Amino acid sequence: MPSAALPPIEYRIRPAHPGAHLFEVSCTVRDPDPAGQVFRLPAWIPGSYMIREFARNIVSLRAEVDGQPWRVEKLDKHSWRAVPLRAGGTLSLHYEVYAWDLSVRAAHLDETHGFFNGTSVFLAVEGRTDRACLVDIERPEGAGYRDWKVATALPLARGVRGGARAYGFGVYRAADYDELIDHPVEMGTFTLGHFEAAGVTHDIVLTGRHDCDLGRLAEDLRRVCEWQIALFGAPPPMDYYAFLTMVVGDGYGGLEHRASTALLCSRADLPWKGMEGLPDGYKTFLGLCSHEYFHTWNVKRIKPAAFTPYDLTQENYTRLLWAFEGFTSYYDDLALVRSGVITPDDYLGLLGKTVSNVLKGNGRSKQSVAESSFDAWTKYYRQDENAPNAIVSYYAKGALVALALDLQLRAGSDGKKSLDDVMRLLWQRHGQTGQGVAETGLFEAVREVGGDTLGPKLARWLQKTVEGTDDLPLARLLKGFGIEYHAEPASKAPWLGVKLAAGNGEAKLANVFDGGPAQAAGLSAGDVLVALDGLKVGSKSLDEMLLRRRPGDAVKLHVFRRDELMSFSVVLAETPADKVSLKPAIKAGAVASKLRRGWLGSAA
């Protein structure tokens, strides 16, 4: 029998105890497996490559068959099974979920708002994940919640009793479990803004206190979204989109979904009425929105074969995150300049910071971006104090790989081909068909787009680059586009080779870098510097004290390691030239200027 003709899986979720951060959830199966129906909660959420064990937040669980108590047994850390039951009974599981994770990945509930990803709250029904799902989102009880609304890209359940209206509580529908968990939900007294892009309504949902100029934000996002839609070709693959944004004092994060994104931002990063120019914080927030929106195509629909379908019970390994996250990280800021939201000079400033961040980590000489992609589950998402010395970011270096590839495609074809053509090919061949990208698929796409002469050469270069650890020849490539590359020390002070932890003013070492003076002297991450040459030192005074020294000088450092006072003699060194700045060449030739305009837009 076609799954559409089978009874849907029915869910109900209610913010039962906002003060205790508890959602009450139920899952009802009209035709459960008589041999014993199994339920599972995902162990991770797509887009965030780490096993998170969401089932640990289920604090109680019970089962009923036709309203009567029924025994349910736990099989493993995230699976339950109702004991065998007679045919024809209706099985319901009722459970409470603790929701106090203020992030874009899980669930959060208090008296001010509620937020959840389906992976945190909706049990999957084994053998029935292809069924349609109905979910009744209920309002919290009490007069204080009378003004709450709902924001989600979940489709309304039209024609169903209790069906929700736009922004309302009630019943929503999903075609299957995969869709159900790909539409996060925000509820509360949020601020709502709108804009149209390529005929599609886009909502901006802001939860938390703010003074945002919604008109300015909507106009800037409209331009970015329209540019991305035009890149891949209209119409976009969704008929509605929502930017679900939690505004806090200090925060940053985003997670992509098929028709929405969950965002966390600092209120200072939002635009305000009368704001002049384009502050760095606002550029950062626009880049985050652009990044998650680009994922609508790249990773939500153009997927690695390893993700088609997802197995949410365990790690799903691929060596391609440098393309799916890295290429997205390249296009996020590029979309800002090509859409005219920021200037070419703004863009080059952002790009210089990305280059600098990659150069600061010695892990780039030990781990390739392909290895970083494969090891995301255990290394990138579980970074420790040695991370800068051991790993490379497939986001940041992946973006630079995309940059180098784009520049070579443009220069080698006299501007006729670019990475845009590769992305469009991937969209047509994989995004629109649902066929996953093989581990060699990016190399094949580049070979095809580049043509008989350029294609094989660039495909070989790309494979060698992503599987190796060499630095990218960015200075040479950018020169051909009339861009000057300058590298200099980030500080005039001599180099100690450490990074301090953010904190209460104490000079606690967060990282000790390979090959640096501190490591050579025996200092370790976690040490707290208390004196330099007999004078008290803190996080703010350390640089001032080092400015009075020169490379080659020996200084005596006193530190606390645990509760023991230790002293070290450190010979300071030259500060590495790892701060990169990029700017247009004053005298660029006609060919370079033409290529630069093709890359950054007519204003470049």
Side-chain angles (χ1 to χ4, degrees), residues 517-524 527 561 568:
Q519 188 185 69
L523 287 156
S524 299
D527 290 350
R561 181 174 298 172
F568 299 87

Side-chain angles (χ1 to χ4, degrees), residues 136-148:
D136 188 356
I137 303 174
E138 297 188 356
R139 185 192 308 273
E141 294 181 359
Y145 305 104
R146 193 171 297 153
D147 295 332
W148 276 31

Side-chain angles (χ1 to χ4, degrees), residues 321-323 325-333 347-361 364 369 392-408 419 461-462 465-466 470-475 477-478 485 578 580 582 599:
L321 294 182
W322 55 268
E325 293 292 353
F327 281 23
T328 301
S329 295
Y330 171 59
Y331 274 101
D332 55 21
D333 288 338
Y347 174 72
L348 293 176
L350 294 170
L351 184 58
K353 290 180 181 178
T354 301
V355 179
S356 301
N357 289 338
V358 172
L359 293 178
K360 289 181 189 302
R364 74 185 196 283
V369 288
V392 67
S393 168
Y394 53 77
Y395 285 87
K397 190 174 181 182
L400 300 185
V401 170
L403 167 67
L405 176 59
D406 195 12
L407 297 181
Q408 290 177 91
L419 189 58
W461 171 86
L462 180 61
T465 296
V466 300
D470 290 346
D471 286 336
L472 295 158
L474 296 180
L477 295 175
L478 288 165
Y485 180 108
D578 55 15
V580 172
L582 306 173
W599 172 42

Side-chain angles (χ1 to χ4, degrees), residues 541-558:
S541 60
L542 179 60
D543 279 347
E544 297 173 359
M545 299 173 80
L546 290 176
L547 279 169
R548 297 172 177 267
R549 275 74 176 175
R550 295 184 178 181
D553 286 354
V555 297
K556 188 172 185 179
L557 291 174
H558 281 85

